[in-house]
Amino acid sequence: MTSPWNGHGPRITRRRLVGLTGLAALGATTGCGGGDGGGGGEGAAALRFSWWGNADRAAATQRAIDAFQAANPGTTVAGEWADFTGYFDRLATNVAANDAPDVITLGGAYPREYGDRGALLDLSEVADVLRLDRIDAAALSNGEFSGVQYGVPTGVNTYCLVVNPVLFEQTGTALPDDATWTWEDFERIAAELSAATPEGTYGAVDPTTADALDLFSRQRGEGLYTEDGGLAISAATLEEWWTTTLRMSGEGATPPASLTTELLADAAPEQTLMGRGLAGMMLGWSNTLPALRAASGQPLQLLRAPGESVEQPGMWLQASQLYSISSRTEHPEEAARLVDFLVNTPEAGRIVKADRGIPTNPDVLEAVLPEFDDDQRAQAEFIARVTPVVGDALVIGPVGSTETRGVVERLNADVLFGRTDPAAAAEAFREQVGQAIGA
């Protein structure tokens, strides 16, 4: 999933999409929700714009909002933000109550979840205002479902490996050749790092996430989901994964089960093992780099994931987040104008920079690149390096797939604590996720 504290990625999920089943009644028409019904006079529009993140993101976003309002007199924008944990719960409640923000930040499977229930605007209805012709096609496809464009990418990133070269240097361990290394190499290097560092420092963070399973299974020609909304990952692949990660935990290459599960409670960068300088490797999203570097004070680097090959790459380019518009907004054109400003103007690009991924409009990227700091430039250079060798576009999860994250976390804890074995966890995953998506 994309990281909760930056902007992310591809499969933004949460434990339960409260109230979503009531969205079908909303239809695809405009109505009484989505704002306060207007601003301070004839032709005025008052918009609400929601996103998740931290205070730094909120401050930058407010500067972009101020710039938009200056360029669009008569339109006011009220920002609404929360941390990742509470954002989707609050959004689901608001949407079910016909009180959705006009412009909504989404990610992963959420555009499909909301779009299929009529809660999002078909962006073809505002095509004369919201320009999509300069947006990267692969990233743009992340917001299209059933032939309808429901979201516009805020930027692009990729799921990859974050490494701390200082720990490698201190232990005399060579950084891997990320064009050739395997998962066996990953396990070996993690064990070597753990053995050569003080107690409490680990070669790798436990790698198990829904995104990691997607990557691992894509390398085996599968992926998590099929194009028609079914389950693609095999029990054999899941068993292989959990057999490896259980062995790594047992040999100390990754943390013990108690620490791995404890870390789930607070995924803020400064609380992660990588952010605290206590891990050599961690699978994650490329746009986590600045926050992790700032938290750790270390010159962290990005590498291709283990097991990538020319024949069957698992990595993919993904919209970090998506801007969508409520189908019930009273101001669709003004909302579309806000989204267009955010993704298509160098002015907004210079404010937001790489906070929501590397800009997908090449004109914006060209204008912003000279102003990138070292962290942002490292992301942009990594994206440019891997773009020619990543795999096909990701198959976004169907309705119900937002439950996958919770399933993975529960089963991973069961495996690591020895409550179930990898084979049984694999079957349970397929059963529980299959039920969630109706497969």
Side-chain angles (χ1 to χ4, degrees), residues 222-245:
E222 298 172 353
L224 278 182
Y225 310 105
T226 62
E227 291 282 359
D228 61 358
L231 190 63
I233 189 170
S234 67
T237 294
L238 289 161
E239 182 178 356
E240 179 185 1
W241 175 268
W242 268 310
T243 298
T244 299
T245 58

Side-chain angles (χ1 to χ4, degrees), residues 14 51-52 81-93:
R14 64 178 184 79
W51 70 90
W52 71 87
W81 66 280
D83 63 24
F84 180 80
T85 303
Y87 176 79
F88 288 101
D89 287 328
R90 187 174 74 180
L91 179 62
T93 300

Side-chain angles (χ1 to χ4, degrees), residues 19 38 44 65 80 86 92 144 163 177 205 208 210 246 281 398 431:
I65 288 173
E80 301 176 2
E144 180 183 342
V163 299
D177 178 355
V205 176
T208 305
L246 178 61
M281 300 182 288
E431 178 182 356

Side-chain angles (χ1 to χ4, degrees), residues 90-418:
R90 187 174 74 180
L91 179 62
T93 300
N94 288 346
V95 172
N98 295 348
D99 189 34
D102 301 271
V103 176
I104 307 168
T105 306
L106 295 171
Y110 282 113
R112 171 173 279 176
E113 294 258 7
Y114 282 110
D116 283 354
R117 290 169 167 82
L120 301 180
L121 185 71
D122 178 346
L123 296 182
S124 68
E125 297 181 20
V126 289
D128 57 332
V129 178
L130 177 52
R131 301 160 294 152
L132 302 180
D133 57 302
R134 296 293 287 162
I135 303 295
D136 178 81
L140 193 61
S141 70
N142 296 161
E144 180 183 342
F145 306 99
S146 304
V148 179
Q149 193 74 43
Y150 288 120
V152 181
T154 65
V156 68
N157 63 2
T158 189
Y159 199 66
C160 59
L161 195 82
V162 184
V163 299
N164 187 340
V166 173
L167 287 184
F168 278 80
E169 183 177 354
Q170 289 176 346
T171 60
T173 306
L175 284 171
D177 178 355
D178 68 352
T180 61
W181 73 322
T182 65
W183 288 100
E184 289 77 12
D185 294 327
F186 173 73
E187 181 179 355
R188 173 182 54 78
I189 292 170
E192 291 175 0
L193 287 172
S194 287
T197 51
E199 184 177 355
T201 299
Y202 300 92
V205 176
D206 180 82
T208 305
T209 64
D211 294 311
L213 291 175
D214 219 336
L215 184 150
F216 189 69
S217 59
R218 279 166 58 91
Q219 291 177 342
R220 284 145 183 78
E222 298 172 353
L224 278 182
Y225 310 105
T226 62
E227 291 282 359
D228 61 358
L231 190 63
I233 189 170
S234 67
T237 294
L238 289 161
E239 182 178 356
E240 179 185 1
W241 175 268
W242 268 310
T243 298
T244 299
T245 58
L246 178 61
R247 185 172 59 243
M248 291 180 70
S249 179
E251 64 191 8
T254 57
S258 57
L259 180 55
T260 291
T261 54
E262 176 186 330
L263 291 169
L264 289 175
D266 190 350
E270 62 273 12
Q271 297 300 323
T272 64
L273 292 177
M274 183 62 69
R276 291 155 59 192
L278 299 177
M281 300 182 288
M282 182 183 80
L283 284 172
W285 290 98
S286 57
N287 60 353
T288 66
L289 186 67
L292 287 170
R293 278 183 171 181
S296 66
Q298 302 292 327
L300 308 181
Q301 297 178 17
L302 301 175
L303 297 179
R304 293 173 67 193
E308 289 293 281
S309 70
V310 175
E311 294 79 14
Q312 196 68 62
M315 290 174 59
W316 65 93
L317 294 182
Q318 176 73 20
S320 306
Q321 301 170 5
L322 294 157
Y323 291 134
S324 295
I325 298 174
S326 169
S327 63
R328 301 182 66 84
T329 180
E330 295 180 355
H331 308 290
E333 289 195 4
E334 289 83 356
R337 193 167 286 113
L338 172 59
V339 175
D340 184 78
F341 179 83
L342 292 171
V343 301
N344 285 324
T345 67
E347 183 177 7
R350 292 188 182 99
I351 296 171
V352 177
K353 296 183 179 177
D355 179 66
R356 288 172 165 89
I358 301 303
T360 58
N361 181 320
D363 301 326
V364 175
L365 179 58
E366 182 179 3
V368 174
L369 195 57
E371 301 185 22
F372 274 180
D373 60 25
D374 290 343
D375 295 344
Q376 295 158 343
R377 192 170 294 107
Q379 293 176 66
E381 290 173 352
F382 182 73
I383 291 293
R385 180 165 76 89
V386 303
T387 293
V389 293
V390 295
D392 296 334
L394 188 74
V395 176
I396 301 298
V399 172
S401 62
T402 49
E403 300 293 333
T404 300
R405 177 189 177 208
V407 173
V408 171
E409 290 178 355
R410 291 191 298 272
L411 291 175
N412 192 52
D414 287 344
V415 169
L416 295 180
F417 277 111

